[in-house]
Amino acid sequence: MTQLHLWLRHESRTTERRTPIVPSDAARLVDNGITVTVEESPQRIFPIDEYEAVGCRVEGAGSWVTAPREAVIVGLKELPDEPAELTHRHISFGHAYKGQPGAQALLHRFVAGGGALLDLEYLVDDEGRRLAAFGYWAGYIGAALAVLHHRGVLDTPLRPTAKEELEERLRASTGRVSALVIGALGRSGRGARVALGEAGIAPTSWDLAETRDLDRRALLDHELMVNTVLTTRPV
């Protein structure tokens, strides 16, 4: 059996600082006999030397296009527009199986090159629950930024911030805010409620039971709404 080779690519989106493989996990992979190649990236939140220190190979940004055929290309979000034919197996959030804009063109590139897309959105447990999802932190960050903006203390342009620093700013901000979280029991809703709690806000929390017969007047009584509802059909 061919040894597994994971190739962590540079993200083509210029604002993307996240990565699906952090240095501590890269160390675990290397320790278990997996070859890990990491592309240099000027924007990734973790510097390349942290990967090199744990035994990863280092290559230039975008070099995955000429990586060995057996390498599995790991990324987070969208691929660059070239090459037109994708020959590797790719692991990422492809956003391609629900008919999203550009989905047909992306999947055609895999068909043309004989590669494959292993979409992280469909990595689930035995009960069908997603294992790789940003929902909690999406709700957390969305609510945190909304509170800081409402209280007039949101600094722009936005910059990467440690969780501890963001929490300190939430706790230090003041001003009454009446907040509503819709979809409060889901991943994003839970994250939003935690962030609001850090800011000293006890939000109104609505989920399915509270929105079957929507009280629009009660909704409009709130100054801030965090909508975290998952919709799978037009509503």
Side-chain angles (χ1 to χ4, degrees):
M1 180 178 177
T2 304
Q3 181 186 24
L4 180 59
H5 182 180
L6 298 178
W7 191 291
L8 181 62
R9 62 177 169 83
H10 158 73
E11 296 290 328
S12 57
R13 184 188 297 186
T14 58
T15 57
E16 186 58 80
R17 298 176 65 87
R18 299 171 298 177
T19 178
I21 302 178
V22 301
S24 59
D25 286 338
R28 293 170 61 194
L29 292 168
V30 171
D31 289 345
N32 281 277
I34 297 170
T35 300
V36 180
T37 296
V38 180
E39 291 186 1
E40 296 174 321
S41 175
Q43 66 216 32
R44 189 186 297 123
I45 196 65
F46 297 99
I48 194 67
D49 56 5
E50 291 190 20
Y51 291 95
E52 197 168 17
V54 298
C56 298
R57 302 176 181 178
V58 175
E59 295 288 348
S63 56
W64 61 268
V65 297
T66 58
R69 180 69 178 265
E70 68 274 8
V72 179
I73 313 303
V74 183
L76 194 66
K77 290 289 187 176
E78 63 269 29
L79 290 165
D81 293 335
E82 295 293 336
E85 298 181 358
L86 298 171
T87 60
H88 296 89
R89 288 172 293 169
H90 284 255
I91 297 175
S92 66
F93 286 99
H95 301 301
Y97 295 122
K98 295 178 182 176
Q100 295 98 324
Q104 186 174 3
L106 174 64
L107 295 176
H108 178 74
R109 293 168 67 190
F110 281 104
V111 173
L117 172 61
L118 307 176
D119 198 316
L120 286 170
E121 187 175 358
Y122 297 90
L123 178 64
V124 298
D125 63 16
D126 292 338
E127 297 180 2
R129 290 188 298 259
R130 286 177 59 181
L131 296 175
F134 292 112
Y136 178 91
W137 294 111
Y140 186 102
I141 291 297
L145 295 180
V147 169
L148 294 176
H149 175 68
H150 186 80
R151 289 175 168 171
V153 292
L154 180 63
D155 297 328
T156 56
L158 299 179
R159 60 178 177 80
T161 304
K163 177 174 178 287
E164 295 76 14
E165 181 183 347
L166 179 59
E167 288 174 345
E168 287 179 7
R169 295 181 63 198
L170 288 172
R171 294 166 189 157
S173 64
T174 58
R176 180 188 174 278
V177 181
S178 58
L180 168 65
V181 178
I182 303 181
L185 300 182
R187 280 194 184 95
S188 295
R190 291 197 302 272
R193 288 187 287 122
V194 170
L196 292 170
E198 292 288 351
I201 300 168
T204 302
S205 298
W206 289 359
D207 208 79
L208 290 174
E210 294 81 8
T211 53
R212 285 194 176 95
D213 184 14
L214 189 64
D215 187 337
R216 295 180 183 275
R217 177 166 293 180
L219 185 151
L220 293 172
D221 282 340
H222 296 83
E223 300 166 281
L224 187 152
M225 183 184 74
V226 186
N227 183 10
T228 67
V229 173
L230 169 66
T231 59
T232 57
R233 57 183 176 81
V235 295

